Amino acid sequence: AKHRIVIPCLGHFKEEYEKVSKLYMNNKIRTTKYTLLNFLPRNLFEQFHRVANLYFLFLVVLNWVPLVEAFQKEITMLPLIAVLTIIAVKDGLEDYSKYKMDKQINNLLTKVYSR
């Protein structure tokens, strides 16, 4: 059986702690889906998995073909951009509230048993 060694991150144990802690994952809770760098691409990727968004994207692309153009190009893009923006804002706010809750939970004081 594997045993895990817990070393306090205090003064003279600091070097030993840094050496041993690299072997294990941290136990921070992370329930967020996005980071600042991946929010836009990941959110768009998830939104275009919805059939309705793909349908509106198809209409936008189709309207850029001169033979099939039914409306002005900009007008067909408005519903898609509005829906994508509203959903992105909603997802961003939800993820930010998850981030704040994770930060609060990860910063709670805990009791550590020591003989």
Side-chain angles (χ1 to χ4, degrees), residues 52-66:
N53 290 346
L54 284 175
Y55 171 74
F56 282 111
L57 180 65
F58 173 72
L59 288 179
V60 168
V61 171
L62 194 62
N63 207 34
W64 282 86
V65 176

Side-chain angles (χ1 to χ4, degrees), residues 5-100:
I5 300 170
V6 178
I7 301 169
C9 184
L10 301 171
H12 57 280
F13 291 115
K14 191 164 181 96
E15 290 177 22
E16 191 174 356
Y17 170 77
E18 289 173 356
K19 186 174 98 177
V20 172
S21 65
K22 292 178 184 176
L23 303 173
Y24 301 102
M25 296 288 294
N26 64 18
N27 62 349
K28 287 186 177 180
I29 295 172
R30 182 174 181 260
T31 58
T32 57
K33 199 186 307 184
Y34 307 108
T35 64
L36 287 175
L37 295 175
N38 75 1
F39 176 75
L40 191 61
R42 189 167 183 183
N43 188 269
L44 288 174
F45 178 76
E46 289 179 5
Q47 287 193 47
F48 282 116
H49 271 85
R50 297 183 180 129
V51 177
N53 290 346
L54 284 175
Y55 171 74
F56 282 111
L57 180 65
F58 173 72
L59 288 179
V60 168
V61 171
L62 194 62
N63 207 34
W64 282 86
V65 176
L67 295 173
V68 188
E69 183 179 347
F71 306 107
Q72 292 179 351
K73 296 173 179 109
E74 297 81 15
I75 291 177
T76 55
M77 291 180 2
L78 286 177
L80 180 64
I81 291 172
V83 168
L84 294 178
T85 304
I86 290 169
I87 294 174
V89 168
K90 177 191 71 80
D91 288 346
L93 290 174
E94 286 176 0
D95 210 56
Y96 182 69
S97 66
K98 287 180 186 179
Y99 167 76
K100 288 194 318 188

